[in-house]
Amino acid sequence: MSASLKLDLDALPDGPLLVAVSGGLDSVALAHALTKAERSITIGHVHHGIRRESDEEEQLVLGLAADLGVGVRVAHLQLDTARTGSLQEIARNARYAALATMANDLEAVAVVTAHHADDQAETVLI
């Protein structure tokens, strides 16, 4: 199975970017690509606390930011699971709200995310 990264740098606005990085291959590749393209980025990571791997993923993202020499912001969430909807939908909505807050605080011109095919299918289903 092969993967490809499709990134149109010209489509991104000029200015600082917040790059959402979960720790997965897609978002890590995006952070690397934007750094190599010499874009001003800060990594944004959201720790949902709903998976055993959450702490390890946070450490991976902190290490990535250090390796790339870029800033990083981490949001720790307490999800309101009493709300209606699937846990994935609740987590996604909370994640995007946290990223929007980070971007606003940083005066970033955009939040940039990476999605693999399974993420895209989940988005359509939600």
PDB file of all heavy atoms in Angstrom, residues 38-63:
ATOM      1  N   GLU A  38       9.584  25.964   4.696  1.00  0.00           N
ATOM      2  CA  GLU A  38       9.950  27.187   5.409  1.00  0.00           C
ATOM      3  C   GLU A  38       8.755  28.054   5.755  1.00  0.00           C
ATOM      4  O   GLU A  38       8.831  29.284   5.714  1.00  0.00           O
ATOM      5  CB  GLU A  38      11.031  27.958   4.641  1.00  0.00           C
ATOM      6  CG  GLU A  38      12.303  27.154   4.480  1.00  0.00           C
ATOM      7  CD  GLU A  38      13.412  27.901   3.771  1.00  0.00           C
ATOM      8  OE1 GLU A  38      13.207  29.058   3.356  1.00  0.00           O
ATOM      9  OE2 GLU A  38      14.491  27.301   3.638  1.00  0.00           O
ATOM     10  N   ARG A  39       7.652  27.407   6.116  1.00  0.00           N
ATOM     11  CA  ARG A  39       6.475  28.129   6.602  1.00  0.00           C
ATOM     12  C   ARG A  39       6.610  28.317   8.108  1.00  0.00           C
ATOM     13  O   ARG A  39       7.182  27.480   8.799  1.00  0.00           O
ATOM     14  CB  ARG A  39       5.191  27.353   6.286  1.00  0.00           C
ATOM     15  CG  ARG A  39       4.868  27.243   4.811  1.00  0.00           C
ATOM     16  CD  ARG A  39       4.673  28.605   4.136  1.00  0.00           C
ATOM     17  NE  ARG A  39       3.683  29.440   4.794  1.00  0.00           N
ATOM     18  CZ  ARG A  39       2.428  29.585   4.382  1.00  0.00           C
ATOM     19  NH1 ARG A  39       2.021  28.961   3.296  1.00  0.00           N
ATOM     20  NH2 ARG A  39       1.600  30.369   5.046  1.00  0.00           N
ATOM     21  N   SER A  40       6.068  29.391   8.607  1.00  0.00           N
ATOM     22  CA  SER A  40       6.049  29.662  10.037  1.00  0.00           C
ATOM     23  C   SER A  40       4.913  28.851  10.659  1.00  0.00           C
ATOM     24  O   SER A  40       3.740  29.127  10.394  1.00  0.00           O
ATOM     25  CB  SER A  40       5.830  31.155  10.285  1.00  0.00           C
ATOM     26  OG  SER A  40       5.635  31.394  11.663  1.00  0.00           O
ATOM     27  N   ILE A  41       5.281  27.833  11.440  1.00  0.00           N
ATOM     28  CA  ILE A  41       4.256  26.971  12.019  1.00  0.00           C
ATOM     29  C   ILE A  41       4.413  26.848  13.526  1.00  0.00           C
ATOM     30  O   ILE A  41       5.504  26.992  14.073  1.00  0.00           O
ATOM     31  CB  ILE A  41       4.235  25.561  11.388  1.00  0.00           C
ATOM     32  CG1 ILE A  41       5.470  24.748  11.802  1.00  0.00           C
ATOM     33  CG2 ILE A  41       4.081  25.622   9.888  1.00  0.00           C
ATOM     34  CD1 ILE A  41       5.354  23.263  11.509  1.00  0.00           C
ATOM     35  N   THR A  42       3.300  26.579  14.155  1.00  0.00           N
ATOM     36  CA  THR A  42       3.246  26.108  15.532  1.00  0.00           C
ATOM     37  C   THR A  42       2.427  24.838  15.485  1.00  0.00           C
ATOM     38  O   THR A  42       1.415  24.762  14.779  1.00  0.00           O
ATOM     39  CB  THR A  42       2.553  27.136  16.458  1.00  0.00           C
ATOM     40  OG1 THR A  42       3.304  28.352  16.445  1.00  0.00           O
ATOM     41  CG2 THR A  42       2.444  26.609  17.881  1.00  0.00           C
ATOM     42  N   ILE A  43       2.880  23.844  16.194  1.00  0.00           N
ATOM     43  CA  ILE A  43       2.142  22.590  16.262  1.00  0.00           C
ATOM     44  C   ILE A  43       1.094  22.693  17.358  1.00  0.00           C
ATOM     45  O   ILE A  43       1.380  23.150  18.471  1.00  0.00           O
ATOM     46  CB  ILE A  43       3.098  21.412  16.526  1.00  0.00           C
ATOM     47  CG1 ILE A  43       3.953  21.155  15.276  1.00  0.00           C
ATOM     48  CG2 ILE A  43       2.331  20.160  16.946  1.00  0.00           C
ATOM     49  CD1 ILE A  43       5.008  20.094  15.452  1.00  0.00           C
ATOM     50  N   GLY A  44      -0.116  22.274  17.043  1.00  0.00           N
ATOM     51  CA  GLY A  44      -1.193  22.196  18.017  1.00  0.00           C
ATOM     52  C   GLY A  44      -1.576  20.742  18.229  1.00  0.00           C
ATOM     53  O   GLY A  44      -1.843  20.021  17.270  1.00  0.00           O
ATOM     54  N   HIS A  45      -1.573  20.311  19.478  1.00  0.00           N
ATOM     55  CA  HIS A  45      -1.930  18.925  19.800  1.00  0.00           C
ATOM     56  C   HIS A  45      -3.057  18.932  20.820  1.00  0.00           C
ATOM     57  O   HIS A  45      -3.032  19.704  21.777  1.00  0.00           O
ATOM     58  CB  HIS A  45      -0.726  18.176  20.373  1.00  0.00           C
ATOM     59  CG  HIS A  45      -1.031  16.777  20.782  1.00  0.00           C
ATOM     60  ND1 HIS A  45      -1.256  15.767  19.870  1.00  0.00           N
ATOM     61  CD2 HIS A  45      -1.175  16.215  22.008  1.00  0.00           C
ATOM     62  CE1 HIS A  45      -1.509  14.639  20.522  1.00  0.00           C
ATOM     63  NE2 HIS A  45      -1.471  14.885  21.816  1.00  0.00           N
ATOM     64  N   VAL A  46      -4.022  18.072  20.609  1.00  0.00           N
ATOM     65  CA  VAL A  46      -5.152  17.962  21.525  1.00  0.00           C
ATOM     66  C   VAL A  46      -5.125  16.581  22.171  1.00  0.00           C
ATOM     67  O   VAL A  46      -5.158  15.566  21.481  1.00  0.00           O
ATOM     68  CB  VAL A  46      -6.492  18.200  20.800  1.00  0.00           C
ATOM     69  CG1 VAL A  46      -7.652  18.056  21.768  1.00  0.00           C
ATOM     70  CG2 VAL A  46      -6.504  19.584  20.148  1.00  0.00           C
ATOM     71  N   HIS A  47      -5.044  16.578  23.488  1.00  0.00           N
ATOM     72  CA  HIS A  47      -5.009  15.355  24.290  1.00  0.00           C
ATOM     73  C   HIS A  47      -6.423  15.129  24.810  1.00  0.00           C
ATOM     74  O   HIS A  47      -6.891  15.840  25.685  1.00  0.00           O
ATOM     75  CB  HIS A  47      -4.024  15.551  25.441  1.00  0.00           C
ATOM     76  CG  HIS A  47      -3.787  14.345  26.285  1.00  0.00           C
ATOM     77  ND1 HIS A  47      -4.786  13.671  26.946  1.00  0.00           N
ATOM     78  CD2 HIS A  47      -2.633  13.699  26.586  1.00  0.00           C
ATOM     79  CE1 HIS A  47      -4.262  12.668  27.623  1.00  0.00           C
ATOM     80  NE2 HIS A  47      -2.960  12.664  27.423  1.00  0.00           N
ATOM     81  N   HIS A  48      -7.094  14.140  24.219  1.00  0.00           N
ATOM     82  CA  HIS A  48      -8.482  13.859  24.594  1.00  0.00           C
ATOM     83  C   HIS A  48      -8.591  13.061  25.886  1.00  0.00           C
ATOM     84  O   HIS A  48      -9.624  13.101  26.555  1.00  0.00           O
ATOM     85  CB  HIS A  48      -9.193  13.069  23.484  1.00  0.00           C
ATOM     86  CG  HIS A  48      -9.266  13.778  22.195  1.00  0.00           C
ATOM     87  ND1 HIS A  48      -8.280  13.657  21.240  1.00  0.00           N
ATOM     88  CD2 HIS A  48     -10.187  14.625  21.687  1.00  0.00           C
ATOM     89  CE1 HIS A  48      -8.602  14.389  20.195  1.00  0.00           C
ATOM     90  NE2 HIS A  48      -9.752  14.987  20.430  1.00  0.00           N
ATOM     91  N   GLY A  49      -7.562  12.276  26.181  1.00  0.00           N
ATOM     92  CA  GLY A  49      -7.594  11.440  27.361  1.00  0.00           C
ATOM     93  C   GLY A  49      -8.547  10.260  27.259  1.00  0.00           C
ATOM     94  O   GLY A  49      -8.949   9.695  28.272  1.00  0.00           O
ATOM     95  N   ILE A  50      -8.909   9.875  26.054  1.00  0.00           N
ATOM     96  CA  ILE A  50      -9.878   8.783  25.892  1.00  0.00           C
ATOM     97  C   ILE A  50      -9.236   7.495  25.379  1.00  0.00           C
ATOM     98  O   ILE A  50      -9.907   6.487  25.268  1.00  0.00           O
ATOM     99  CB  ILE A  50     -11.047   9.188  24.963  1.00  0.00           C
ATOM    100  CG1 ILE A  50     -10.539   9.635  23.596  1.00  0.00           C
ATOM    101  CG2 ILE A  50     -11.888  10.256  25.610  1.00  0.00           C
ATOM    102  CD1 ILE A  50     -11.640   9.962  22.592  1.00  0.00           C
ATOM    103  N   ARG A  51      -7.939   7.565  25.098  1.00  0.00           N
ATOM    104  CA  ARG A  51      -7.240   6.372  24.606  1.00  0.00           C
ATOM    105  C   ARG A  51      -6.008   6.133  25.469  1.00  0.00           C
ATOM    106  O   ARG A  51      -5.392   7.073  25.962  1.00  0.00           O
ATOM    107  CB  ARG A  51      -6.811   6.574  23.148  1.00  0.00           C
ATOM    108  CG  ARG A  51      -7.985   6.770  22.224  1.00  0.00           C
ATOM    109  CD  ARG A  51      -7.566   6.957  20.795  1.00  0.00           C
ATOM    110  NE  ARG A  51      -6.360   6.209  20.521  1.00  0.00           N
ATOM    111  CZ  ARG A  51      -5.463   6.560  19.598  1.00  0.00           C
ATOM    112  NH1 ARG A  51      -5.638   7.621  18.876  1.00  0.00           N
ATOM    113  NH2 ARG A  51      -4.386   5.840  19.407  1.00  0.00           N
ATOM    114  N   ARG A  52      -5.654   4.877  25.612  1.00  0.00           N
ATOM    115  CA  ARG A  52      -4.454   4.541  26.390  1.00  0.00           C
ATOM    116  C   ARG A  52      -3.211   5.213  25.832  1.00  0.00           C
ATOM    117  O   ARG A  52      -2.298   5.535  26.572  1.00  0.00           O
ATOM    118  CB  ARG A  52      -4.233   3.023  26.385  1.00  0.00           C
ATOM    119  CG  ARG A  52      -4.903   2.319  27.526  1.00  0.00           C
ATOM    120  CD  ARG A  52      -4.596   0.852  27.495  1.00  0.00           C
ATOM    121  NE  ARG A  52      -5.658   0.253  26.692  1.00  0.00           N
ATOM    122  CZ  ARG A  52      -5.557  -0.839  25.996  1.00  0.00           C
ATOM    123  NH1 ARG A  52      -4.440  -1.503  25.969  1.00  0.00           N
ATOM    124  NH2 ARG A  52      -6.571  -1.299  25.314  1.00  0.00           N
ATOM    125  N   GLU A  53      -3.196   5.420  24.521  1.00  0.00           N
ATOM    126  CA  GLU A  53      -2.011   5.958  23.858  1.00  0.00           C
ATOM    127  C   GLU A  53      -1.889   7.482  23.963  1.00  0.00           C
ATOM    128  O   GLU A  53      -0.922   8.056  23.488  1.00  0.00           O
ATOM    129  CB  GLU A  53      -2.039   5.592  22.360  1.00  0.00           C
ATOM    130  CG  GLU A  53      -2.056   4.111  22.089  1.00  0.00           C
ATOM    131  CD  GLU A  53      -3.478   3.531  22.030  1.00  0.00           C
ATOM    132  OE1 GLU A  53      -4.459   4.260  22.303  1.00  0.00           O
ATOM    133  OE2 GLU A  53      -3.608   2.352  21.719  1.00  0.00           O
ATOM    134  N   SER A  54      -2.860   8.145  24.556  1.00  0.00           N
ATOM    135  CA  SER A  54      -2.896   9.615  24.561  1.00  0.00           C
ATOM    136  C   SER A  54      -1.633  10.238  25.139  1.00  0.00           C
ATOM    137  O   SER A  54      -1.097  11.195  24.577  1.00  0.00           O
ATOM    138  CB  SER A  54      -4.121  10.126  25.316  1.00  0.00           C
ATOM    139  OG  SER A  54      -5.309   9.776  24.637  1.00  0.00           O
ATOM    140  N   ASP A  55      -1.140   9.714  26.264  1.00  0.00           N
ATOM    141  CA  ASP A  55       0.070  10.285  26.874  1.00  0.00           C
ATOM    142  C   ASP A  55       1.288  10.081  25.980  1.00  0.00           C
ATOM    143  O   ASP A  55       2.107  10.989  25.822  1.00  0.00           O
ATOM    144  CB  ASP A  55       0.323   9.672  28.254  1.00  0.00           C
ATOM    145  CG  ASP A  55      -0.716  10.090  29.283  1.00  0.00           C
ATOM    146  OD1 ASP A  55      -1.329  11.172  29.132  1.00  0.00           O
ATOM    147  OD2 ASP A  55      -0.916   9.328  30.251  1.00  0.00           O
ATOM    148  N   GLU A  56       1.404   8.890  25.388  1.00  0.00           N
ATOM    149  CA  GLU A  56       2.525   8.598  24.492  1.00  0.00           C
ATOM    150  C   GLU A  56       2.476   9.492  23.252  1.00  0.00           C
ATOM    151  O   GLU A  56       3.512   9.975  22.781  1.00  0.00           O
ATOM    152  CB  GLU A  56       2.518   7.132  24.075  1.00  0.00           C
ATOM    153  CG  GLU A  56       2.811   6.183  25.207  1.00  0.00           C
ATOM    154  CD  GLU A  56       2.600   4.733  24.815  1.00  0.00           C
ATOM    155  OE1 GLU A  56       2.503   4.420  23.605  1.00  0.00           O
ATOM    156  OE2 GLU A  56       2.514   3.909  25.739  1.00  0.00           O
ATOM    157  N   GLU A  57       1.276   9.698  22.710  1.00  0.00           N
ATOM    158  CA  GLU A  57       1.142  10.557  21.537  1.00  0.00           C
ATOM    159  C   GLU A  57       1.542  11.991  21.865  1.00  0.00           C
ATOM    160  O   GLU A  57       2.198  12.655  21.060  1.00  0.00           O
ATOM    161  CB  GLU A  57      -0.291  10.502  21.007  1.00  0.00           C
ATOM    162  CG  GLU A  57      -0.623   9.164  20.383  1.00  0.00           C
ATOM    163  CD  GLU A  57      -2.104   8.936  20.173  1.00  0.00           C
ATOM    164  OE1 GLU A  57      -2.942   9.639  20.783  1.00  0.00           O
ATOM    165  OE2 GLU A  57      -2.431   8.032  19.385  1.00  0.00           O
ATOM    166  N   GLU A  58       1.162  12.466  23.039  1.00  0.00           N
ATOM    167  CA  GLU A  58       1.564  13.819  23.436  1.00  0.00           C
ATOM    168  C   GLU A  58       3.089  13.930  23.497  1.00  0.00           C
ATOM    169  O   GLU A  58       3.669  14.896  23.000  1.00  0.00           O
ATOM    170  CB  GLU A  58       0.959  14.189  24.790  1.00  0.00           C
ATOM    171  CG  GLU A  58       1.368  15.586  25.236  1.00  0.00           C
ATOM    172  CD  GLU A  58       0.785  15.981  26.574  1.00  0.00           C
ATOM    173  OE1 GLU A  58      -0.252  15.428  27.004  1.00  0.00           O
ATOM    174  OE2 GLU A  58       1.379  16.875  27.198  1.00  0.00           O
ATOM    175  N   GLN A  59       3.744  12.940  24.085  1.00  0.00           N
ATOM    176  CA  GLN A  59       5.209  12.963  24.173  1.00  0.00           C
ATOM    177  C   GLN A  59       5.847  12.916  22.788  1.00  0.00           C
ATOM    178  O   GLN A  59       6.834  13.613  22.537  1.00  0.00           O
ATOM    179  CB  GLN A  59       5.713  11.809  25.053  1.00  0.00           C
ATOM    180  CG  GLN A  59       5.347  11.965  26.517  1.00  0.00           C
ATOM    181  CD  GLN A  59       5.789  13.303  27.087  1.00  0.00           C
ATOM    182  OE1 GLN A  59       6.944  13.704  26.968  1.00  0.00           O
ATOM    183  NE2 GLN A  59       4.852  14.021  27.697  1.00  0.00           N
ATOM    184  N   LEU A  60       5.271  12.132  21.891  1.00  0.00           N
ATOM    185  CA  LEU A  60       5.772  12.077  20.522  1.00  0.00           C
ATOM    186  C   LEU A  60       5.677  13.449  19.858  1.00  0.00           C
ATOM    187  O   LEU A  60       6.620  13.904  19.208  1.00  0.00           O
ATOM    188  CB  LEU A  60       4.985  11.043  19.716  1.00  0.00           C
ATOM    189  CG  LEU A  60       5.459  10.810  18.296  1.00  0.00           C
ATOM    190  CD1 LEU A  60       5.223   9.360  17.900  1.00  0.00           C
ATOM    191  CD2 LEU A  60       4.772  11.714  17.288  1.00  0.00           C
ATOM    192  N   VAL A  61       4.544  14.121  20.041  1.00  0.00           N
ATOM    193  CA  VAL A  61       4.332  15.434  19.422  1.00  0.00           C
ATOM    194  C   VAL A  61       5.277  16.471  20.026  1.00  0.00           C
ATOM    195  O   VAL A  61       5.848  17.299  19.297  1.00  0.00           O
ATOM    196  CB  VAL A  61       2.853  15.870  19.542  1.00  0.00           C
ATOM    197  CG1 VAL A  61       2.664  17.303  19.099  1.00  0.00           C
ATOM    198  CG2 VAL A  61       1.971  14.932  18.716  1.00  0.00           C
ATOM    199  N   LEU A  62       5.479  16.425  21.333  1.00  0.00           N
ATOM    200  CA  LEU A  62       6.425  17.355  21.960  1.00  0.00           C
ATOM    201  C   LEU A  62       7.834  17.138  21.425  1.00  0.00           C
ATOM    202  O   LEU A  62       8.564  18.099  21.152  1.00  0.00           O
ATOM    203  CB  LEU A  62       6.390  17.198  23.485  1.00  0.00           C
ATOM    204  CG  LEU A  62       5.105  17.640  24.177  1.00  0.00           C
ATOM    205  CD1 LEU A  62       5.125  17.242  25.651  1.00  0.00           C
ATOM    206  CD2 LEU A  62       4.874  19.135  24.019  1.00  0.00           C
ATOM    207  N   GLY A  63       8.215  15.876  21.247  1.00  0.00           N
ATOM    208  CA  GLY A  63       9.521  15.557  20.674  1.00  0.00           C
ATOM    209  C   GLY A  63       9.642  16.014  19.231  1.00  0.00           C
ATOM    210  O   GLY A  63      10.686  16.526  18.811  1.00  0.00           O
TER     211      GLY A  63
END
